[in-house]
Amino acid sequence: MNQQVTPPASSSGADNSGLTATAGQESSSAPMVDIPLSLYWDEWSRCIGSRFQRDQLYRLGRLNSCSREWQDLKTAGRAKFLQYKDPEKCKKMMDSTFYKKRTTISPTAGAIWELKEKPGWD
């Protein structure tokens, strides 16, 4: 009595094997934003780690509260839930994170060296 139902073949020849739709998801023309929650989790856990805190204490004389990394993790979580509903807002949220701003310039800018407006050889 159990019959297997196979989906109809696509007339365009495109492979739809990885696509699934769930209730409440609307297909939109805007591309989905990749939200690496594990990256933000790793950044926050690195920040609260004893080695990083020891380095901060040695370099700056104080411990880091890791509030910027925690805010990034919360923003990534919110964006993850929003990515199907409003991909544009999600992208703006992810572009506003401290991690994105910090890695756009250089991970060592401000911590080891100061960014110059004009190169020194000119």
Short mmCIF file of all heavy atoms in Angstrom, two decimals, residues 65-88:
data_model
loop_
_atom_site.label_atom_id
_atom_site.label_comp_id
_atom_site.label_asym_id
_atom_site.label_seq_id
_atom_site.Cartn_x
_atom_site.Cartn_y
_atom_site.Cartn_z
N SER A 65 36.19 43.60 28.64
CA SER A 65 34.84 43.17 29.02
C SER A 65 34.18 42.30 27.95
O SER A 65 33.16 41.66 28.22
CB SER A 65 33.95 44.39 29.28
OG SER A 65 33.71 45.08 28.06
N CYS A 66 34.71 42.30 26.74
CA CYS A 66 34.20 41.51 25.61
C CYS A 66 32.76 41.89 25.24
O CYS A 66 32.04 41.09 24.64
CB CYS A 66 34.30 40.02 25.89
SG CYS A 66 35.96 39.47 26.22
N SER A 67 32.34 43.10 25.57
CA SER A 67 30.98 43.51 25.25
C SER A 67 30.76 43.67 23.76
O SER A 67 29.66 43.38 23.26
CB SER A 67 30.63 44.81 25.97
OG SER A 67 31.50 45.85 25.56
N ARG A 68 31.77 44.09 23.01
CA ARG A 68 31.60 44.23 21.56
C ARG A 68 31.44 42.87 20.90
O ARG A 68 30.60 42.71 20.00
CB ARG A 68 32.79 44.98 20.95
CG ARG A 68 32.86 46.42 21.45
CD ARG A 68 33.98 47.17 20.84
NE ARG A 68 35.26 46.62 21.31
CZ ARG A 68 36.43 47.20 21.10
NH1 ARG A 68 36.51 48.31 20.42
NH2 ARG A 68 37.53 46.65 21.58
N GLU A 69 32.18 41.88 21.35
CA GLU A 69 32.04 40.53 20.80
C GLU A 69 30.70 39.92 21.17
O GLU A 69 30.08 39.22 20.37
CB GLU A 69 33.19 39.63 21.29
CG GLU A 69 34.53 39.95 20.66
CD GLU A 69 35.25 41.12 21.31
OE1 GLU A 69 34.71 41.74 22.27
OE2 GLU A 69 36.36 41.44 20.86
N TRP A 70 30.22 40.19 22.39
CA TRP A 70 28.92 39.69 22.82
C TRP A 70 27.80 40.34 22.00
O TRP A 70 26.86 39.68 21.59
CB TRP A 70 28.73 39.95 24.31
CG TRP A 70 27.41 39.50 24.83
CD1 TRP A 70 26.41 40.29 25.32
CD2 TRP A 70 26.92 38.16 24.92
NE1 TRP A 70 25.34 39.52 25.70
CE2 TRP A 70 25.63 38.21 25.46
CE3 TRP A 70 27.46 36.93 24.58
CZ2 TRP A 70 24.87 37.07 25.67
CZ3 TRP A 70 26.70 35.79 24.79
CH2 TRP A 70 25.42 35.87 25.33
N GLN A 71 27.94 41.64 21.73
CA GLN A 71 26.95 42.34 20.91
C GLN A 71 26.93 41.75 19.50
O GLN A 71 25.87 41.58 18.91
CB GLN A 71 27.26 43.84 20.84
CG GLN A 71 26.88 44.61 22.09
CD GLN A 71 25.41 44.52 22.37
OE1 GLN A 71 25.00 43.87 23.32
NE2 GLN A 71 24.59 45.15 21.57
N ASP A 72 28.12 41.44 18.95
CA ASP A 72 28.18 40.82 17.63
C ASP A 72 27.48 39.48 17.61
O ASP A 72 26.78 39.16 16.65
CB ASP A 72 29.64 40.62 17.21
CG ASP A 72 30.30 41.91 16.73
OD1 ASP A 72 29.61 42.94 16.66
OD2 ASP A 72 31.50 41.85 16.41
N LEU A 73 27.68 38.68 18.64
CA LEU A 73 27.04 37.38 18.72
C LEU A 73 25.52 37.53 18.78
O LEU A 73 24.78 36.81 18.09
CB LEU A 73 27.55 36.60 19.94
CG LEU A 73 27.02 35.19 20.13
CD1 LEU A 73 27.36 34.31 18.94
CD2 LEU A 73 27.57 34.59 21.40
N LYS A 74 25.03 38.48 19.56
CA LYS A 74 23.58 38.72 19.64
C LYS A 74 23.04 39.23 18.30
O LYS A 74 21.98 38.80 17.86
CB LYS A 74 23.27 39.72 20.75
CG LYS A 74 23.49 39.16 22.13
CD LYS A 74 22.91 40.00 23.25
CE LYS A 74 23.16 41.46 23.18
NZ LYS A 74 22.72 42.19 24.37
N THR A 75 23.79 40.12 17.64
CA THR A 75 23.38 40.63 16.33
C THR A 75 23.31 39.51 15.30
O THR A 75 22.37 39.44 14.51
CB THR A 75 24.34 41.73 15.86
OG1 THR A 75 24.35 42.79 16.81
CG2 THR A 75 23.94 42.27 14.50
N ALA A 76 24.30 38.62 15.32
CA ALA A 76 24.30 37.50 14.38
C ALA A 76 23.11 36.58 14.63
O ALA A 76 22.50 36.08 13.69
CB ALA A 76 25.61 36.73 14.49
N GLY A 77 22.78 36.36 15.88
CA GLY A 77 21.62 35.54 16.21
C GLY A 77 20.32 36.16 15.72
O GLY A 77 19.46 35.48 15.16
N ARG A 78 20.18 37.46 15.91
CA ARG A 78 18.98 38.15 15.42
C ARG A 78 18.92 38.11 13.90
O ARG A 78 17.85 37.91 13.32
CB ARG A 78 18.98 39.60 15.90
CG ARG A 78 18.66 39.75 17.35
CD ARG A 78 18.53 41.23 17.74
NE ARG A 78 18.51 41.36 19.16
CZ ARG A 78 19.49 41.88 19.89
NH1 ARG A 78 20.57 42.35 19.30
NH2 ARG A 78 19.40 41.96 21.19
N ALA A 79 20.06 38.33 13.27
CA ALA A 79 20.10 38.33 11.81
C ALA A 79 19.79 36.94 11.25
O ALA A 79 19.19 36.81 10.18
CB ALA A 79 21.46 38.80 11.32
N LYS A 80 20.19 35.90 11.96
CA LYS A 80 19.92 34.53 11.52
C LYS A 80 18.41 34.29 11.43
O LYS A 80 17.94 33.65 10.50
CB LYS A 80 20.56 33.55 12.49
CG LYS A 80 20.55 32.13 12.05
CD LYS A 80 21.59 31.90 10.99
CE LYS A 80 21.80 30.43 10.78
NZ LYS A 80 22.69 30.19 9.68
N PHE A 81 17.66 34.81 12.39
CA PHE A 81 16.21 34.65 12.36
C PHE A 81 15.56 35.55 11.32
O PHE A 81 14.49 35.26 10.83
CB PHE A 81 15.60 34.96 13.73
CG PHE A 81 15.82 33.86 14.72
CD1 PHE A 81 16.68 34.04 15.78
CD2 PHE A 81 15.18 32.65 14.58
CE1 PHE A 81 16.91 33.03 16.69
CE2 PHE A 81 15.39 31.63 15.48
CZ PHE A 81 16.25 31.82 16.54
N LEU A 82 16.21 36.65 10.98
CA LEU A 82 15.64 37.62 10.06
C LEU A 82 15.99 37.34 8.60
O LEU A 82 15.41 37.95 7.71
CB LEU A 82 16.17 39.01 10.45
CG LEU A 82 15.27 40.18 10.16
CD1 LEU A 82 14.20 40.21 11.24
CD2 LEU A 82 16.07 41.45 10.18
N GLN A 83 16.93 36.44 8.34
CA GLN A 83 17.46 36.29 6.99
C GLN A 83 16.42 35.88 5.95
O GLN A 83 16.56 36.23 4.79
CB GLN A 83 18.63 35.33 6.97
CG GLN A 83 18.28 33.88 7.21
CD GLN A 83 19.51 33.01 7.21
OE1 GLN A 83 20.57 33.43 6.79
NE2 GLN A 83 19.36 31.80 7.68
N TYR A 84 15.38 35.18 6.34
CA TYR A 84 14.35 34.78 5.37
C TYR A 84 13.31 35.87 5.17
O TYR A 84 12.76 36.00 4.10
CB TYR A 84 13.65 33.49 5.83
CG TYR A 84 14.59 32.33 5.93
CD1 TYR A 84 14.93 31.80 7.16
CD2 TYR A 84 15.15 31.78 4.80
CE1 TYR A 84 15.81 30.74 7.26
CE2 TYR A 84 16.03 30.71 4.89
CZ TYR A 84 16.35 30.20 6.11
OH TYR A 84 17.22 29.15 6.20
N LYS A 85 13.08 36.64 6.21
CA LYS A 85 12.04 37.65 6.15
C LYS A 85 12.52 38.93 5.45
O LYS A 85 11.82 39.48 4.62
CB LYS A 85 11.59 37.98 7.58
CG LYS A 85 10.38 38.85 7.66
CD LYS A 85 9.92 39.01 9.08
CE LYS A 85 8.67 39.84 9.17
NZ LYS A 85 8.25 40.02 10.54
N ASP A 86 13.73 39.39 5.81
CA ASP A 86 14.25 40.64 5.26
C ASP A 86 15.77 40.53 5.06
O ASP A 86 16.54 40.95 5.91
CB ASP A 86 13.91 41.79 6.21
CG ASP A 86 14.15 43.14 5.60
OD1 ASP A 86 14.62 43.21 4.44
OD2 ASP A 86 13.89 44.15 6.27
N PRO A 87 16.21 39.97 3.93
CA PRO A 87 17.64 39.78 3.70
C PRO A 87 18.44 41.07 3.66
O PRO A 87 19.59 41.10 4.07
CB PRO A 87 17.70 39.07 2.35
CG PRO A 87 16.36 38.55 2.08
CD PRO A 87 15.41 39.40 2.86
N GLU A 88 17.85 42.16 3.18
CA GLU A 88 18.57 43.43 3.11
C GLU A 88 18.88 43.97 4.51
O GLU A 88 19.99 44.43 4.77
CB GLU A 88 17.76 44.47 2.31
CG GLU A 88 17.66 44.16 0.84
CD GLU A 88 19.01 44.09 0.17
OE1 GLU A 88 19.88 44.95 0.48
OE2 GLU A 88 19.23 43.18 -0.64
#
